[in-house]
Amino acid sequence: MIVLLLALVLADGALSQIRYSVPEEAEHGTVVGNIAEDLGLDLTKLASRRFQVVPSSRTPYLEVNLETGVLFVNSQMDREQICRQSARCQLNLEVFLENPLELFRVEVEVLDVNDNAPRFPDTDITVEISESATPGTRFPLESALDPDVGTNALRTYDLTTNGYFSLDVQTQTDGNKFAELVLEKPLDREQQAVHRYVLTAVDGGQPPRTGTALLVVKVLDSNDNVPVFDQPVYTVTLTENAPVGTLVIQLNATDRDEGPNGEIVYSFSNHISARVKDLFGVDARTGRVEVRGEVDYEESPLFQVFVQAKDLGPNAVPAHCKVLVKVTDVNDNAPEITFSTVTESVSEQAAPGTVIALLSVMDRDAEENGQVHVEILGEVPFKLKSSFRNYFTIVTDGPLDRERADSYTVTVVARDKGTPPLTTSKSIRVQVSDENDNAPTFTQAVYDVYVTENNVPGAYIHAVTALDPDVGMHALISYSIVDRDIHGMSVQTYVSINEETGYVYALRSFDYEQLKEFTFTVRARDGGVQQQLSSNATVRVIIVDQNDNAPVVLAPLGKNGTAREPLPRSAEPGYLVTRVVAMDADDGENARLSYSIQRGNENGMFRMDWRTGELRTARRVSAKRDPNQIYDLLIEVRDHGQPPLSSSASVLVTLVDSVAEGRGMGGDRGGSAKAKEGSLDLTLILIIALGSVSFIFLLVMIVLAVRCQKDQKRTAPPCLTHCCPGCCRHGRNRKKKLSKSDIMLVQSAVNVTGTGTAQVPVEESGSFGSLHQNQNYCYQVCLTPESAKTDLMFLKPCSPTRSPDADHNPCGSMVGTGYTDQQPDIISNGTILSTETKHQRSELSYLVDRPRRVNSSAFQEADLVSSKDSGHGDSEQGDSDHDATNRGHSSGADLFSNCTEECKALGHSDRCWMPSFVPSDGRQGPDYRSNLHVPGMDAVPDTERGKGFASSFRVDIPETA
């Protein structure tokens, strides 16, 4: 009969226990119970969750159907063979399921069946009793053995009914029964020497079973005294594992008889067990009980030793005693660790608390010697969790990372509390399975790839590399290019990538002049099954320039590829003939150009600036050395690439007599100028910037000069008659705006003897901004026609003290020279040019030199000042024509008599539009060095003819509040 004793016991939700009972001798296939149903498991998921029996708990007597969960008898069980005399016979079985891990403990109790009858060791039991024995004397009988337990064990003894003896059934401390034969009345050997009875042992089974033996009682002749022990029961303590020969107890029995009747012999009683005879021994003469075998507390904590003492006399009657041996436990058993189940691998994404292994720990010792402490050695992400009784589970104690550690060795140590403590350890290897938790990572976030232009399409240009710390399919990386447009076309038409190796190839030939660089994104994707991870990197392709473009000449341009440029015969060394402007589409050194004359300059007439491309004269034109009228120059423009590329330009330079003649060739120059204006290179931009800064500086200086005049307006200085006769007049609050029509030329004589004293204005107050009297200033304009070397001296006040020495003051030099009909000296860079030099420069055409003024910021400033002097927006000859029309009423003199060749060359209008001064005597007055006079003021006549004249301009500064 199968009985389900305990349905279900839960412990921590991870371990459950169920208990069954089954009788011994059950046939094969007998169903003990359905574990799955009794535990409430889903039968359809048993296979998927791998329902199985823990291998270490398997028994040959029981088996589990893993598909249905049925527990059945596999082979016939004999309780007496399995558990011997143990009061409780139990078989343990562990089953578990995975995903998640659940462990179940199954206890099957084997119930005893009364299948064994009591049995005596011998079929005949002989007892010798002296005829002198008194009634009440007890004689222990040999016990019967019954392998059954419980109610089926030996219950009592029976003896054939007689008038001499009776049975007294005693119970030992271990529950075993034994019988003592009790004498009821005296025996008489002469009447009956032998008594025979049937001794029956009866068990408690239903129906009861019995065993019998023949009891033979022999009546002996009288021996008056029997040996006597000190006490009937002895209790001793013995340490387990005591060595052989260890004294257990020293027994002592006495006999009052003398001689052989008083000599005592010790021996074990007939009913002692065979195991006790193996473990202990008694000395027949001394009564010394010693250890003969290995005493193990775990086998039995208590042993009963029955000893009898009998004298050597005839018809001796033995005396009996009992020795109770209590075994003291010794910590002689180390803890035992048994792994029931171990998970081979655990996912690195397993949640904390995931079960890795199930184990049990047992110590066969008792009390503190059997108490065990279990722990895990080392710092590993695992911990122990107590599940049920002596069962433990190993669970994860934090996140796992396979990339940091792909496996762990988990060592479990069990230590008892004995003295000294005993330790046991066992280790398991736990593999961490990979999950796709790492995206591929490129070795660089940005790749700079340099590709030389004109590359071969399909050529390898670079390799990108991404690393994935995962393994297997999770680390299999494939590369791709994220599509985008470059100049309206897909990047896939520019580059391609090998999806396995990451090699990048160019699909077209790149041109640096069209595309200098471009970027695209490369994506690396791993081979995850459930989820694919990816990352990106930027690839910047930089096209490296090659010297594949020759320089292109932009200017000068001409018909049929030949430019024509005029060269005046009066040109000075350094005269700018033209400037060759070229451009190279390349970059860097490949675009850095150098200019040189390859042909046509055999006589060294020209020199070429190899940096700027300016073609200038190296010397003056000589009739002897330069008989030719035309120079055919071949200009080469070469870049600095490797190998260098070059181009050439043909320049036809024609000698002309004057600048005006060169204007006839303005067609070519005009085209050249347009080309030059179209090529605003860096040099031109710098020239414009410098000119602008110079103009602003000049404007600031003018403003400062005006402010200084205002500070001295209340001071009335004496007239500088010796410097500027007739130009200085006192006046106050004159705020009339001057124009060209208000200014006339007046003749003023200047004493050059040096005896006159020039009066200088003296400031009445030393503080800035105080009131001043109006004062007059005389200024002199000194210009030169040389565009490239002109220094502008504007608004220079006449020196207070005139010195005849021309080196001190250019203006003073003009006053003290004492000439009348000569042309005025032209001051260039502070030096008075000679008459020959002035004559040569006067022949230069101002219009011819005008293109060169672009290269000279100083000449631009002079041109601006000239424009302001004239009062018109133009300072060329058109300005003089305009003034000549307005002054057609001039009497008897040539309107343009003052417009000399120098004036034409300078393009300075202030002299051209001024009418010449005619004295009252009809003589031609001096040249343009006449005084300017504001109408309304008295003119001062000449005081001395033949004296030097100075051109002075008087400005009255009005008083300001």
Side-chain angles (χ1 to χ4, degrees), residues 594-607:
S594 61
Y595 303 84
S596 63
I597 303 174
Q598 295 296 315
R599 177 174 53 83
N601 193 30
E602 290 77 6
N603 56 1
M605 178 63 193
F606 303 96
R607 59 181 174 85

Side-chain angles (χ1 to χ4, degrees), residues 669-685:
R669 292 298 295 266
S672 174
K674 292 181 180 179
K676 293 178 183 178
E677 293 176 359
S679 58
L680 291 176
D681 55 1
L682 181 60
T683 304
L684 184 57
I685 295 176

Side-chain angles (χ1 to χ4, degrees), residues 673-930:
K674 292 181 180 179
K676 293 178 183 178
E677 293 176 359
S679 58
L680 291 176
D681 55 1
L682 181 60
T683 304
L684 184 57
I685 295 176
L686 291 176
I687 292 174
I688 296 175
L690 291 174
S692 301
V693 171
S694 301
F695 173 74
I696 294 174
F697 176 76
L698 182 62
L699 186 61
V700 170
M701 296 300 296
I702 295 174
V703 172
L704 292 176
V706 172
R707 292 189 62 180
C708 290
Q709 292 176 2
K710 290 181 179 181
D711 293 338
Q712 300 176 1
K713 62 185 177 178
R714 294 188 178 273
T715 301
C719 182
L720 302 180
T721 56
H722 294 282
C723 177
C724 309
C727 70
C728 298
R729 295 193 61 179
H730 296 286
R732 297 180 59 89
N733 299 327
R734 295 186 180 182
K735 300 181 180 180
K736 180 180 179 180
K737 184 176 180 181
L738 301 182
S739 63
K740 287 184 179 182
S741 59
D742 297 330
I743 299 174
M744 65 177 61
L745 289 177
V746 295
Q747 192 171 20
S748 176
V750 180
N751 186 5
V752 297
T753 61
T755 59
T757 301
Q759 299 295 326
V760 296
V762 178
E763 186 174 326
E764 293 181 355
S765 176
S767 62
F768 181 79
S770 60
L771 297 177
H772 297 78
Q773 298 295 329
N774 281 354
Q775 59 181 352
N776 300 320
Y777 285 86
C778 297
Y779 299 98
Q780 198 162 27
V781 178
C782 302
L783 299 176
T784 66
E786 180 59 46
S787 61
K789 299 181 180 180
T790 297
D791 289 339
L792 177 62
M793 295 190 298
F794 180 67
L795 298 180
K796 292 185 178 180
C798 295
S799 177
T801 303
R802 294 289 179 171
S803 174
D805 191 357
D807 295 335
H808 296 311
N809 192 338
C811 292
S813 65
M814 294 177 63
V815 174
T817 51
Y819 59 86
T820 304
D821 298 329
Q822 296 178 355
Q823 295 292 337
D825 291 336
I826 298 176
I827 301 173
S828 178
N829 295 329
T831 304
I832 302 177
L833 300 181
S834 63
T835 306
E836 180 182 353
T837 305
K838 290 188 291 183
H839 178 71
Q840 292 177 355
R841 295 192 178 184
S842 64
E843 294 178 355
L844 300 180
S845 174
Y846 176 72
L847 296 177
V848 174
D849 292 340
R850 188 174 184 181
R852 295 203 300 270
R853 286 184 294 174
V854 178
N855 296 328
S856 176
S857 61
F859 196 87
Q860 290 176 353
E861 295 174 3
D863 193 29
L864 290 173
V865 173
S866 176
S867 299
K868 292 185 178 182
D869 289 342
S870 64
H872 300 279
D874 190 0
S875 62
E876 296 184 1
Q877 292 181 357
D879 194 5
S880 300
D881 297 340
H882 171 76
D883 294 332
T885 305
N886 294 335
R887 298 184 180 273
H889 61 278
S890 297
S891 61
D894 186 1
L895 186 61
F896 300 103
S897 60
N898 291 333
C899 291
T900 62
E901 292 296 330
E902 292 87 352
C903 182
K904 295 178 180 179
L906 289 171
H908 195 275
S909 62
D910 289 343
R911 183 178 177 195
C912 295
W913 56 261
M914 291 182 183
S916 61
F917 178 77
V918 181
S920 59
D921 55 2
R923 290 175 291 136
Q924 179 66 32
D927 55 7
Y928 65 94
R929 292 175 297 175
S930 301

Side-chain angles (χ1 to χ4, degrees), residues 64 128 149 179 199 251 254 266 269 354 546 548 564 568 602 625 666 704 780 856 867 937 941 956-957:
V64 178
E128 294 178 348
V149 295
L199 180 61
L251 296 177
T254 58
Y266 298 92
S269 299
T354 302
Q546 270 190 333
D548 58 343
R564 296 179 178 273
E602 290 77 6
R625 295 182 59 183
L704 292 176
Q780 198 162 27
S856 176
S867 299
M937 299 182 66
D956 290 341
I957 301 177

Side-chain angles (χ1 to χ4, degrees), residues 322-369:
K322 180 170 63 172
V323 180
L324 297 178
V325 181
K326 294 182 178 180
V327 182
T328 303
D329 183 42
V330 176
N331 191 24
D332 59 341
N333 294 281
E336 298 177 0
I337 300 175
T338 304
F339 282 93
S340 300
T341 178
V342 177
T343 302
E344 295 181 357
S345 64
V346 58
S347 171
E348 63 176 328
Q349 292 184 347
T354 302
V355 178
I356 304 301
L358 176 67
L359 58 97
S360 61
V361 180
M362 182 182 67
D363 195 323
R364 296 174 60 195
D365 294 324
E367 297 180 354
E368 288 189 355
N369 296 333

Side-chain angles (χ1 to χ4, degrees), residues 166 187 222 224 260 288 303 331 352 472 693 724 740 769 824 850:
S166 64
L187 297 175
S222 175
D224 296 331
R288 179 185 174 92
F303 293 94
N331 191 24
V693 171
C724 309
K740 287 184 179 182
R850 188 174 184 181

